[in-house]
Amino acid sequence: MMEETWVVAVRSIIAFLTLIIYTRVLGKQQMGNLTYFDYINGITIGSIAGTFATDLSSKAWIHFVALTIFTIITIIFQYITLKNRTISKLMDSDPTLIIQNGKILEQNLSKMRVKFDELTMMLRQKDVFDITTLDYAILEPDGSLSVVLKPENQPVTAKDMHMHPPKSKLMTEIIIDGLLIKQNLEERNKDTNWLSEQLKKKNITIQDIAFAAILPNDKLYVDLFKDKITEKIDMGDYEGPF
């Protein structure tokens, strides 16, 4: 029993390290933009790695060879799709227009097997809550949604106003789960005295804070463990226990 446990442990470590190496070799495309081919291929490689780690009825070398071959095939197809647009379209499909001039193209939506609820969810993720503000919505090969607002609904940019705003900054988290991250505080040229003054104004302590960050405008954002929300919004469309 112990011998099998050690064998599984060693094979699991080897499979884990092999996956890390092969994932790095495959590049960020395998992680970021999953097409149908990438999705199915990723599941297959993961399944082989799982069998590699736990199937003691066969030699580990066979599973390692299969994992390596699948990775090599993936790299070859990545190269081919870069060079041959026809094969690329065959493997990854084309973008599909599903909204035009604020109108849903039901036939295209049905062809992509996307439900109306899924469409509205993807629109909300794009900060679109009024479908009539759209000129176009395009379903990309990786399943994501791209939207184009009508000209009158597009936000005004600093360039449109002939303005020259200051250089952009990032939001920097400084407290997570009641723990102070001093390094991040110093990166924004702040110290604990500044933080203490800000928290004193809000009459709270670090231990009360679930998350805190310095915003790009150098103001402090704070979210407490116990938020005082008087009215909760129900997003469901039916009465039920869930």
Side-chain angles (χ1 to χ4, degrees):
M1 183 69 178
M2 281 301 298
E3 182 179 350
E4 290 182 350
T5 302
W6 281 109
V7 171
V8 170
V10 172
R11 288 171 67 155
S12 297
I13 293 172
I14 295 173
F16 178 77
L17 295 176
T18 303
L19 274 180
I20 290 179
I21 294 171
Y22 286 178
T23 302
R24 294 290 292 177
V25 171
L26 290 174
K28 293 185 178 180
Q29 180 184 357
Q30 190 73 11
M31 292 290 294
N33 304 311
L34 289 178
T35 62
Y36 294 121
F37 172 75
D38 295 328
Y39 179 72
I40 295 171
N41 193 51
I43 291 176
T44 304
I45 289 176
S47 177
I48 294 173
T51 306
F52 179 7
T54 59
D55 185 7
L56 302 183
S57 63
S58 58
K59 295 181 179 180
W61 172 251
I62 296 190
H63 301 298
F64 180 79
V65 170
L67 192 61
T68 303
I69 290 175
F70 259 88
T71 302
I72 293 173
I73 291 173
T74 302
I75 294 172
I76 291 173
F77 268 98
Q78 286 180 344
Y79 180 79
I80 291 174
T81 53
L82 285 174
K83 299 297 182 180
N84 191 307
R85 185 165 178 79
T86 302
I87 296 179
S88 175
K89 285 181 173 290
L90 180 64
M91 297 295 297
D92 298 336
S93 77
D94 285 324
T96 303
L97 186 68
I98 57 176
I99 294 178
Q100 184 172 354
N101 297 329
K103 301 294 184 181
I104 299 174
L105 305 179
E106 291 84 0
Q107 186 175 359
N108 289 354
L109 198 66
S110 177
K111 188 191 301 181
M112 293 294 103
R113 299 181 181 87
V114 176
K115 296 180 292 188
F116 286 101
D117 288 345
E118 293 172 334
L119 174 60
T120 55
M121 177 191 70
M122 289 188 286
L123 290 174
R124 288 194 298 270
Q125 291 174 339
K126 289 293 183 179
D127 296 327
V128 176
F129 297 89
D130 183 350
I131 199 169
T132 62
T133 62
L134 290 178
D135 247 348
Y136 304 101
I138 302 166
L139 190 64
E140 303 291 354
D142 64 353
S144 63
L145 189 71
S146 300
V147 298
V148 180
L149 296 172
K150 292 180 179 179
E152 62 269 23
N153 294 310
Q154 293 180 6
V156 178
T157 65
K159 184 178 179 180
D160 296 331
M161 301 293 292
H162 303 289
M163 297 172 59
H164 301 283
K167 185 178 179 181
S168 300
K169 296 181 181 179
L170 298 176
M171 182 178 74
T172 306
E173 58 269 20
I174 58 172
I175 297 175
I176 297 177
D177 288 333
L179 297 176
L180 175 63
I181 308 174
K182 290 186 178 180
Q183 179 180 348
N184 290 358
L185 190 66
E186 293 171 356
E187 286 179 358
R188 293 298 295 268
N189 297 319
K190 307 292 183 183
D191 55 22
T192 53
N193 292 331
W194 174 87
L195 179 60
S196 298
E197 291 178 4
Q198 299 297 316
L199 298 182
K200 189 175 181 181
K201 293 177 183 177
K202 299 178 182 292
N203 196 26
I204 56 176
T205 64
I206 291 180
Q207 289 71 29
D208 299 325
I209 300 172
F211 178 82
I214 301 177
L215 301 176
N217 59 4
D218 282 341
K219 291 185 178 180
L220 181 67
Y221 168 82
V222 174
D223 183 83
L224 303 178
F225 285 109
K226 296 181 179 179
D227 293 314
K228 297 178 181 179
I229 300 177
T230 56
E231 182 180 356
K232 293 185 178 180
I233 299 175
D234 185 5
M235 291 292 292
D237 55 2
Y238 72 98
E239 295 183 3
F242 306 108

